[in-house]
């Protein structure tokens, strides 16, 4: 996975939008105004932050050395994932999917309409 395939995958999600609220080197993907993925554009190795169920966050960290507690994020609910080739693309997509769905499910019931 590279930055373009990551971007395309995120933007395929219903109502996903890309923003730069923290400057021009941090690309943020949101759904209905809530962040589900952040990616740094100035690191030599692609890495991104995704929201996680707290138990799943620990599981990913134990399973993959390239998954660490979320950099500059709530370490209980966010992971930083380094895309160094050690994590299968299928698993990276699962992490992104999980993050998106956690954010959608955290929206008020009425706001979830059309996303599930």
């Amino acid at each position: 996975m590279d930055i373009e395939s990551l971007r395309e995958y995120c933007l395929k999600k219903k109502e996903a939008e890309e923003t730069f609220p923290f400057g021009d080197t941090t690309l943020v993907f949101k759904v209905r105004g809530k962040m589900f993925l952040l990616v740094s554009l100035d690191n030599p190795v692609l890495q991104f932050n995704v929201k996680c169920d707290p138990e799943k966050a620990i599981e990913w960290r134990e399973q993959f050395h390239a998954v660490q507690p979320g950099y500059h994020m709530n370490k209980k609910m966010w992971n930083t994932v380094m895309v160094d080739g050690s994590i299968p693309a299928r698993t990276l997509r699962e992490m992104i999917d999980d993050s998106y769905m956690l954010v959608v499910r955290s929206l008020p019931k009425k706001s979830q309409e059309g996303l599930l």
Side-chain angles (χ1 to χ4, degrees), residues 7-108:
R7 181 179 173 270
E8 288 172 15
Y9 190 75
C10 289
L11 289 175
K12 285 182 183 177
K13 305 261 177 236
K14 288 182 181 178
E15 295 191 35
E17 63 175 331
E18 59 183 339
T19 64
F20 286 91
F22 306 117
D24 59 358
T25 61
T26 304
L27 177 57
V28 178
F29 293 92
K30 297 180 179 182
V31 57
R32 298 214 171 147
K34 302 286 186 180
M35 296 186 299
F36 70 91
L37 187 141
L38 296 87
V39 61
S40 175
L41 300 177
D42 60 356
N43 287 335
V45 175
L46 177 63
Q47 65 182 36
F48 58 85
N49 288 359
V50 284
K51 193 168 190 176
C52 300
D53 170 82
E55 290 179 18
K56 190 71 168 180
I58 293 168
E59 286 178 34
W60 290 125
R61 293 173 200 164
E62 290 174 349
Q63 189 173 0
F64 298 105
H65 179 70
V67 178
Q68 299 295 316
Y71 181 70
H72 284 302
M73 305 297 281
N74 177 331
K75 310 244 182 288
K76 182 178 177 182
M77 299 283 299
W78 288 81
N79 278 340
T80 296
V81 180
M82 273 121 337
V83 184
D84 61 4
S86 66
I87 303 173
R90 174 184 75 255
T91 305
L92 295 172
R93 289 189 300 270
E94 181 181 344
M95 291 176 182
I96 295 166
D97 294 344
D98 286 354
S99 181
Y100 176 85
M101 290 309 298
L102 275 171
V103 171
V104 167
R105 289 188 184 117
S106 73
L107 296 169

